[in-house]
Amino acid sequence: MTPHRIAICPGSFDPITLGHEDIIRRSFRFADQVIVAVAFSATQVKSGMFSVEDRVQMIRETFADEPRVEAVAFQGLLVNFAQERGASMIVRGLRAVSDFEYEFQMALMNRRLWDGMETVFLAPDLDHSYLSSSLVRQIASLGGDASPFVSAAVLARLQARFGA
């Protein structure tokens, strides 16, 4: 019997974009379950556009059709959270070379903290290679059409926040 492979896809997801969704759905090529983990800290200086609870709910709505996705908030070390949840791999998307240096450093540190942790890097779909949550927030806040970049559930929340 093949072991149950659990991956964690961590991030702030403020908000979750179609690029995030693509990476998460493609993770099922090598994982049986994906935990989308919204990172936060009680002492975090930077507050997001959406509350952590709203982000978790948007992820749940975006993946309502996919029972293998679980959305949760977490704080603390990612490797500790992964061990608690039985996950042994982290999935990260790399949009550009500029993402690589930071992500590579984090992957090495996570392996140093727990040698049972592997990090898998996925290149984005070409249609999403430029996409980021901050660009989506900016487009929506300036009255632009964010519909090509987010799910219907996320778009509804952006429209409620900024009017449309």
Side-chain angles (χ1 to χ4, degrees):
M1 185 171 138
T2 317
H4 186 72
R5 297 164 302 169
I6 302 172
I8 294 185
C9 187
S12 58
F13 304 104
D14 190 28
I16 187 168
T17 69
L18 293 180
H20 294 125
E21 184 178 350
D22 171 61
I23 295 293
I24 294 162
R25 290 188 189 280
R26 287 175 38 222
S27 297
F28 290 116
R29 294 178 181 168
F30 49 82
D32 301 307
Q33 177 187 358
V34 177
I35 300 170
V36 183
V38 179
F40 77 96
S41 169
T43 60
Q44 206 166 339
V45 176
K46 180 182 166 189
S47 64
M49 173 181 286
F50 293 101
S51 71
V52 171
E53 296 79 17
D54 283 341
R55 291 183 237 169
V56 168
Q57 189 57 38
M58 283 187 280
I59 295 164
R60 289 177 180 156
E61 291 168 6
T62 298
F63 289 98
D65 67 324
E66 182 50 78
R68 298 174 295 174
V69 170
E70 179 184 3
V72 296
F74 86 99
Q75 57 182 337
L77 286 174
L78 180 59
V79 293
N80 292 346
F81 176 72
Q83 286 176 312
E84 290 167 11
R85 300 304 305 267
S88 60
M89 76 180 102
I90 298 169
V91 176
R92 298 293 292 169
L94 293 177
R95 291 176 303 224
V97 174
S98 57
D99 290 342
F100 180 75
E101 188 173 349
Y102 173 77
E103 293 295 343
F104 185 68
Q105 182 180 16
M106 291 302 300
L108 292 175
M109 183 55 73
N110 285 331
R111 282 280 318 250
R112 179 70 173 101
L113 292 171
W114 178 38
D115 66 358
M117 178 58 65
E118 295 293 344
T119 300
V120 177
F121 297 114
L122 293 178
D125 182 274
L126 237 86
D127 291 340
H128 308 302
S129 61
Y130 57 89
L131 188 54
S132 70
S133 294
S134 57
L135 284 174
V136 168
R137 289 192 308 267
Q138 188 173 21
I139 290 165
S141 69
L142 296 173
D145 179 14
S147 65
F149 314 116
V150 296
S151 69
V154 174
L155 183 63
R157 293 200 187 227
L158 288 168
Q159 290 172 335
R161 181 163 197 120
F162 297 111

